[in-house]
Amino acid sequence: MKTQGAAKNEANNAAQAAAPTAAPVAEEVIDFSKVQIEPLFEEAVDFETFSKSDFRAVKVKECVAVPKSKKLLQFTLDDGTGEDRTILSGIHAYYEPEELVGKTLIAITNLPPRAMMGIESCGMLLSAIHEEEGEEKLHLLMVDNHIPAGAKLY
């Protein structure tokens, strides 16, 4: 007699065998030889201080350019609370608003609200920055869309 898990595995294997095989996707090769990153902080942060930061997965419901600003994008986010969260981010040089709708990002949600261009921003989106051939590059941290809004990061 098969266990329920073994029967499930057998069914999954049969379904995969019956599915047409796709050509393997070639992995993109990225040259990091010209990348410069900021040095690590020398000052240590104790665990208690770190644990006060509330990092959450957030889903982008809407993203628009802030009028009269060249840099700011205004994000309307699902943070899992049932109420929309607004975060402004100065990343318009790197992203167009429409390409971010539907993405799952990482935000720190317990920063004090801060007014920018008359709009209250309630948190900060996390991104990675580096310099490449004298030019600053920025990439928002985007995670798997299977991670639900509000999931806490540790």
Side-chain angles (χ1 to χ4, degrees), residues 24-38:
V25 177
E27 189 174 322
E28 179 184 6
V29 178
I30 302 171
D31 178 13
F32 289 116
S33 65
K34 297 176 183 170
V35 169
Q36 292 179 315
I37 59 170
E38 293 182 31

Side-chain angles (χ1 to χ4, degrees), residues 5-143:
K8 233 182 205 179
N9 286 341
E10 191 174 292
N12 284 339
N13 291 340
Q16 287 176 357
T21 55
V25 177
E27 189 174 322
E28 179 184 6
V29 178
I30 302 171
D31 178 13
F32 289 116
S33 65
K34 297 176 183 170
V35 169
Q36 292 179 315
I37 59 170
E38 293 182 31
L40 298 177
F41 287 131
E42 290 184 22
E43 183 180 347
V45 175
D46 62 66
F47 183 77
E48 185 179 337
T49 302
F50 169 76
S51 65
K52 291 178 183 177
S53 299
D54 195 4
F55 296 99
R56 299 289 175 147
V58 294
K59 306 273 186 182
V60 180
K61 295 173 74 174
E62 183 180 13
C63 184
V64 296
V66 174
K68 299 182 184 175
S69 173
K70 292 181 182 178
K71 295 171 145 187
L72 289 175
L73 294 180
Q74 179 178 340
F75 291 82
T76 302
L77 303 164
D78 177 358
D79 64 3
T81 64
E83 293 186 26
D84 289 347
R85 175 180 295 270
T86 298
I87 293 181
L88 276 67
S89 185
I91 61 169
H92 199 180
Y94 306 97
Y95 292 96
E96 289 303 318
E98 57 275 3
E99 68 185 292
L100 298 170
V101 174
K103 301 291 185 190
T104 304
L105 310 176
I106 303 300
I108 182 167
T109 58
N110 62 337
L111 293 174
R114 178 178 170 197
M116 294 189 271
M117 301 290 293
I119 303 166
E120 193 170 80
S121 180
C122 298
M124 180 183 287
L125 297 173
L126 298 186
S127 58
I129 59 169
H130 68 275
E131 191 173 294
E132 194 171 330
E133 297 181 345
E135 184 181 343
E136 182 179 81
K137 304 283 184 169
L138 179 140
H139 297 275
L140 276 173
L141 294 187
M142 298 183 197
V143 296

